[in-house]
Amino acid sequence: MSIAKKSQNIYLTSFFITFFISLITYSFYAITYFQGNHDFRFLRYGLSITQGLWEGRITQFLLTTLLLNNQVLPILNMIIGIFSLSLSPIILTKILNIPKQKISLTFFSLLITLSPYVLSHLYYTHQSTQTLSWHLIIVIGFAISTHQKSILNHKFINLASSFALYLIAISGYSASMQLIFVLIFSSMILDVIYNNKSIKDIIKKYTPLLIVGLLSVITYFLITKFLISKNIMQTFMYNNKTHNFLGIINSLQHHNIKTPVQVLLSPYPYITNNISYLILGL
C-alpha cells in the first residue's frame, strides 16, 4: 500500500470512529424526542428559507431547504449535523498538520464533537442541521484560503470563495464568526512555533486571510443594517441585542477562566449525569 493511500485510510478511519462515537453519544436525545417545546410547529408545518430573516439569520435554513425540502426530520437532522461536525475536525487536522496517527486524529476530533455545547444545538431540532454544519463550511473556507495551489491559478478566486463560505455561515449563525478568527490565529501561532516562520512571512501569509474574515463580518453587519432599516429584522428580541464597545468591555469583567471549566464539568438541566460522565470520559 502506498504512503498516500495509507494516509488517506487513516483520515477515513478516524472520521468514521469520530462520527459513530458522536452519533451513539447523542442518539439518546434523538430517540427520546429531545427538543425545545416551541419548535413542535416546525415538525408539522415545515420551514421556509426566509424564516430566519426576522432575527438576522439570513441563511439559517438554507441547508434544510436544499437537503430536506424544508422539512424537519429530527433524527435525520441530527445525523446530518453530527456528520458535518465530525468531518470538520478531520479536515482541520490536515490543515494544521496534526500527526497522521489514528489515535491523535481521533482524539483531537472527539474533543470537538463531544463538547457539551453540541447539546444546546441539538435541543433546537429544526436548527441542528445548520448550526452543526457551519463549522464544516468555515473549515472548508479556511482550507481553500490557505491552499498552496490557487483555484484556476488565481489567488483571488481562493479568497473570494472563502469570503462567500464565511458569509454564508455567519449569515446563518453570527456566532460562527468566532471560529474564523480562532482558525486564523491558531494556524498563525502553530506556524511561528513549529515552522519557524518569520514575522515577514506571517504578515504576508495571514494579512489576506484576516482581511477576508473581516470583510465577511463587515458585509454581514451591513446586510443586517439594511434588514433593520426595512423593519425585516427585529432588534427588540433578546438574541438580536448588540453591545457597543464599552458594553463589551463591561461584560468581559463578569467572565473569567473558571466559567468555561465550570460549564464543562457541570451538567446542564437537560443533560443526565451519565451522559456528562461519558462525554468527559471520552
Side-chain angles (χ1 to χ4, degrees):
M1 183 183 293
S2 66
I3 296 177
K5 186 71 174 178
K6 185 178 180 180
S7 175
Q8 184 180 6
N9 287 343
I10 290 174
Y11 283 112
L12 283 174
T13 303
S14 299
F15 163 70
F16 282 114
I17 292 174
T18 301
F19 174 57
F20 284 117
I21 289 178
S22 302
L23 201 59
I24 291 170
T25 302
Y26 297 120
S27 61
F28 169 81
Y29 298 96
I31 62 178
T32 54
Y33 215 56
F34 167 80
Q35 62 179 297
N37 58 10
H38 65 292
D39 298 332
F40 283 98
R41 67 182 183 275
F42 298 121
L43 292 175
R44 181 176 180 183
Y45 301 110
L47 294 161
S48 166
I49 192 171
T50 60
Q51 206 152 342
L53 290 177
W54 67 272
E55 53 183 342
R57 298 178 182 178
I58 305 156
T59 59
Q60 183 176 31
F61 300 117
L62 176 63
L63 295 180
T64 300
T65 300
L66 295 176
L67 300 176
L68 301 173
N69 193 28
N70 296 318
Q71 300 303 308
V72 178
L73 308 169
I75 294 179
L76 188 55
N77 278 48
M78 185 200 74
I79 291 174
I80 294 173
I82 297 299
F83 181 91
S84 299
L85 184 66
S86 300
L87 185 57
S88 55
I90 297 297
I91 297 174
L92 192 56
T93 58
K94 194 171 181 66
I95 302 171
L96 300 180
N97 293 318
I98 289 178
K100 296 176 184 177
Q101 299 172 351
K102 195 183 302 180
I103 185 67
S104 300
L105 302 182
T106 304
F107 182 74
F108 174 84
S109 301
L110 287 174
L111 282 177
I112 294 174
T113 62
L114 296 183
S115 165
Y117 285 108
V118 173
L119 286 173
S120 66
H121 294 295
L122 292 178
Y123 184 64
Y124 301 101
T125 307
H126 70 294
Q127 298 176 7
S128 59
T129 295
Q130 283 78 207
T131 52
L132 296 179
S133 295
W134 298 140
H135 302 77
L136 177 60
I137 290 175
I138 288 176
V139 167
I140 291 174
F142 181 68
I144 292 173
S145 68
T146 56
H147 200 265
Q148 296 298 322
K149 294 182 179 179
S150 300
I151 300 172
L152 300 179
N153 294 319
H154 204 308
K155 185 66 176 177
F156 176 78
I157 302 297
N158 277 27
L159 296 176
S161 300
S162 297
F163 168 80
L165 292 173
Y166 290 162
L167 185 58
I168 289 172
I170 294 173
S171 299
Y173 195 62
S174 56
S176 301
M177 69 178 69
Q178 300 175 43
L179 180 58
I180 297 171
F181 298 102
V182 167
L183 292 178
I184 292 173
F185 285 109
S186 297
S187 181
M188 188 186 301
I189 292 170
L190 290 174
D191 261 349
V192 171
I193 296 174
Y194 294 108
N195 298 327
N196 297 318
K197 294 280 187 179
S198 66
I199 298 298
K200 182 178 179 180
D201 290 336
I202 291 295
I203 292 173
K204 181 179 179 181
K205 178 178 178 180
Y206 289 99
T207 297
L209 307 189
L210 285 169
I211 291 174
V212 168
L214 289 171
L215 281 177
S216 62
V217 173
I218 293 170
T219 302
Y220 173 68
F221 174 75
L222 294 175
I223 292 172
T224 57
K225 295 292 285 185
F226 172 77
L227 293 176
I228 292 171
S229 70
K230 297 298 181 181
N231 295 318
I232 298 173
M233 182 175 168
Q234 301 174 9
T235 55
F236 62 86
M237 297 296 292
Y238 71 96
N239 53 346
N240 288 341
K241 291 181 180 178
T242 56
H243 293 287
N244 56 28
F245 182 74
L246 291 177
I248 294 173
I249 299 299
N250 289 332
S251 67
L252 289 175
Q253 296 176 2
H254 301 290
H255 295 80
N256 52 53
I257 191 63
K258 292 181 180 179
T259 303
V261 176
Q262 289 173 344
V263 169
L264 177 63
L265 298 178
S266 303
Y268 290 101
Y270 50 83
I271 304 179
T272 63
N273 286 335
N274 289 339
I275 204 72
S276 296
Y277 298 146
L278 175 61
I279 289 173
L280 289 172
L282 290 170

